[in-house]
């Protein structure tokens, strides 16, 4: 496992890479960064089977990349440029909270991904939901049953476009509250589509 940086449109983007095999990309929530996946042990578990890229996106209070303010659909465009710079065509994407919204906008804009996992995504607007209806990429939406930021009732909004899993006794960062269950659900999902 190692940390590296790339330049994307004149901005420094930090990421952590480890493992081998097929690649996939993990983003972070607003209050976290790529290190969160490592500290939780989730990165190591997933890197046993895949080549994992945990990217510090240019937003959030702990990101170590160069930050900029933009609407979430524009962050989705930036994500595509990050993937191009890393030489990744259509990897599966994992995004919690704000990054879940970015991943959904990425798909809504027609960008390619083998699969997508979102955790307690925020910003589920009517416009976004409408654009997702034509998306063929398999989507898994995970919620904690105690999520107070994006309540599990929001899962209903995605039920037509995503497979929904609710993790018991988990809050907004359900992957941190239930890491073992999270890893199992993600690996099972990827095994179907990737």
């Amino acid at each position: 496992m190692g940390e590296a940086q790339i330049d994307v449109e004149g901005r420094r983007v930090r990421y952590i890479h480890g493992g081998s095999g097929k690649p996939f990309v993990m983003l972070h929530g607003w209050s976290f960064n790529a290190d969160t996946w490592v500290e939780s042990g989730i990165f190591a578990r997933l890197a046993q089977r895949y080549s994992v890229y945990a990217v510090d996106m240019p937003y959030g209070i702990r990101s170590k990349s160069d930050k900029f303010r933009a609407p979430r659909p524009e962050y989705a465009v930036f994500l595509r440029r990050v993937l191009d710079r890393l030489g990744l065509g259509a990897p599966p994407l994992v995004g919690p909270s704000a990054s879940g919204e970015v991943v959904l906008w990425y798909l809504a804009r027609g960008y390619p991904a083998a699969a997508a996992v979102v955790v307690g995504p925020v910003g589920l607007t009517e416009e976004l939901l409408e654009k997702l209806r034509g998306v063929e990429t398999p989507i898994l939406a995970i919620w904690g049953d105690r999520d107070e930021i994006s309540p599990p009732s929001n899962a209903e909004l995605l039920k037509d476009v995503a497979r929904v899993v609710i993790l018991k006794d988990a809050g907004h960062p359900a992957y941190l509250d239930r890491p073992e269950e999270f890893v199992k659900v993600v690996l099972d999902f990827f095994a179907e589509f990737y």
Side-chain angles (χ1 to χ4, degrees):
M1 181 178 70
E3 181 179 328
Q5 296 178 16
I6 53 174
D7 182 273
V8 180
E9 298 179 333
R11 293 184 173 96
R12 183 183 53 82
V13 177
R14 171 189 177 256
Y15 68 96
I16 300 169
H17 177 247
S20 60
K22 294 182 186 177
F24 85 91
V25 174
M26 304 175 83
L27 310 178
H28 56 85
W30 196 264
S31 300
F32 303 103
N33 62 19
D35 299 309
T36 305
W37 294 111
V38 176
E39 293 159 1
S40 66
I42 293 170
F43 187 100
R45 288 282 312 282
L46 294 173
Q48 291 172 1
R49 203 171 295 182
Y50 294 99
S51 176
V52 181
Y53 293 80
V55 177
D56 265 9
M57 288 297 281
Y59 49 75
I61 57 177
R62 289 181 55 205
S63 174
K64 296 180 182 176
S65 293
D66 290 343
K67 297 180 196 174
F68 67 93
R69 289 185 178 274
R72 302 277 160 82
E74 294 310 308
Y75 286 135
V77 174
F78 189 77
L79 172 58
R80 182 63 254 170
R81 291 176 181 144
V82 169
L83 298 179
D84 287 342
R85 186 72 179 78
L86 290 170
L88 302 174
L93 303 170
V94 176
S97 191
S99 283
E101 182 184 354
V102 170
V103 166
L104 293 175
W105 273 110
Y106 175 95
L107 298 175
R109 283 180 165 267
Y111 292 129
V117 177
V118 295
V119 187
V122 297
L124 299 177
T125 63
E126 197 58 51
E127 180 191 5
L128 174 56
L129 295 169
E130 189 58 41
K131 288 180 182 294
L132 287 171
R133 294 198 205 299
V135 169
E136 295 184 8
T137 301
I139 302 170
L140 173 65
I142 300 173
W143 257 272
D145 68 349
R146 295 183 179 173
D147 190 333
E148 295 179 358
I149 294 172
S150 179
S153 58
N154 282 350
E156 283 294 305
L157 301 172
L158 287 179
K159 69 177 183 351
D160 293 337
V161 297
R163 181 182 304 174
V164 175
V165 172
I166 308 288
L167 298 183
K168 293 212 177 292
D169 298 320
H172 188 53
Y175 55 100
L176 296 179
D177 293 341
R178 291 282 177 263
E180 294 299 317
E181 289 173 63
F182 174 78
V183 167
K184 181 181 186 325
V185 168
V186 169
L187 288 176
D188 288 350
F189 184 68
F190 282 179
E192 277 187 69
F193 299 105
Y194 190 53

